[in-house]
Amino acid sequence: TESAADAVIAIDGEGVILFANGAVERIFGYEAEALPGRRLDLLVPEAAARLRESEPRTALLGRRHQVVCEATEFCGRHRDGRRLTLEISLGACRRGGAPLFTAVIRDVGERRRAEERYRYLAQYDALTGLPNRALFLDRVARALALARRNRERVALLFLDLDDFKLI
């Protein structure tokens, strides 16, 4: 687990961290050695709540391993207080008769910001920030579809500015 890019954390049935690999420092700002004995709520309150709400003891009966939650997005907290956008997979197994949970955590905040930027650039001019032709055509198509559904009309006003390209 130490060579993994994702944080890997083992949690007992009460939500107490038993183990954390080195990637937790890059993601959360805490040293891995400082986390055992602390609660998962410190890092990812939502995921900790999901564990409390699940039925680990009954769900694990007769099973060696079970996925509690597959690659779900949660908000986390960095040591400095920043909010983190995380993708977490939670698994459960039994260890000595008691439930043991594993969390594989990936910081997806940068990826989400890039996706939002690409969506914005697909509909707005990068230089001026004004809506582009793609957004215009999308809005016209929506207006026409809505008008058809409601048996209404649509009007479009075209304004031509002489020598606008020079500006």
Side-chain angles (χ1 to χ4, degrees):
T1 62
E2 286 305 319
S3 63
D6 297 338
V8 178
I9 299 176
I11 308 120
D12 71 9
E14 304 301 316
V16 176
I17 298 171
L18 304 173
F19 166 82
N21 71 346
V24 298
E25 187 169 355
R26 182 180 49 77
I27 295 173
F28 294 102
Y30 292 95
E31 292 181 16
E33 298 81 28
L35 290 175
R38 303 192 70 180
R39 300 192 61 76
L40 183 62
D41 299 70
L42 174 71
L43 307 174
V44 194
E46 276 184 271
R50 173 77 61 95
L51 282 179
R52 283 191 297 273
E53 293 166 5
S54 70
E55 298 289 334
R57 289 162 187 83
T58 57
L60 288 170
L61 290 175
R63 295 187 181 178
R64 288 183 55 95
H65 185 269
Q66 174 187 342
V67 174
V68 176
C69 162
E70 286 186 25
T72 303
E73 214 168 273
F74 290 99
C75 286
R77 272 190 295 229
H78 191 274
R79 185 177 187 173
D80 64 13
R82 281 184 292 133
R83 287 178 48 112
L84 301 169
T85 304
L86 306 168
E87 188 176 84
I88 303 177
S89 297
L90 292 172
C93 61
R94 286 196 167 283
R95 177 178 163 211
L100 174 71
F101 298 94
T102 56
V104 178
I105 304 170
R106 174 175 293 151
D107 185 352
V108 294
E110 190 62 40
R111 183 174 74 194
R112 292 291 179 260
R113 285 186 289 281
E115 288 170 357
E116 286 176 26
R117 179 75 179 145
Y118 294 142
R119 273 194 290 279
Y120 176 83
L121 290 174
Q123 297 183 330
Y124 292 88
D125 182 78
L127 181 61
T128 64
L130 294 171
N132 65 15
R133 183 184 309 254
L135 182 58
F136 169 74
L137 294 174
D138 176 67
R139 297 297 159 85
V140 168
R142 285 184 189 190
L144 290 171
L146 183 63
R148 258 187 241 107
R149 264 197 313 274
N150 296 330
R151 295 182 172 21
E152 296 176 343
R153 294 182 179 182
V154 173
L156 178 65
L157 175 66
F158 178 78
L159 179 63
D160 184 21
L161 300 176
D162 289 336
D163 297 323
F164 182 72
K165 287 183 180 180
L166 295 176
I167 297 171

